[in-house]
Amino acid sequence: MELLYVGLAALGAGLAVFGAAFGVGKIGAAAMEAIARQPEAANKIQTAMIIAAALVEGVALFGVVAALLGVLK
């Protein structure tokens, strides 16, 4: 039974990482498209992209830590 919990926690951590990677990829793609459409706003778009990507990564890290804490508890 303990092995099941470890497997589920690993699955949860993997899904959190996959979701974050997908989200950051979408953010980057949208930012590149926006910069291509309006090059004069590149600095503002890049700043917003970096902040959004950092927030997504923070949520993913929280998900991984929560999944691992479920196993180690």
Side-chain angles (χ1 to χ4, degrees):
M1 194 64 157
E2 183 71 27
L3 187 61
L4 176 67
Y5 293 137
V6 172
L8 288 175
L11 181 65
L15 286 174
V17 170
F18 178 75
F22 183 75
V24 171
K26 293 285 281 182
I27 291 168
M32 292 300 107
E33 184 178 339
I35 290 171
R37 289 176 185 255
Q38 200 171 13
E40 64 272 5
N43 288 336
K44 288 183 179 181
I45 294 169
Q46 185 179 11
T47 301
M49 178 194 70
I50 291 171
I51 291 171
L55 291 172
V56 169
E57 289 294 327
V59 170
L61 181 63
F62 178 74
V64 169
V65 169
L68 293 177
L69 283 177
V71 171
L72 300 176
K73 184 177 179 185

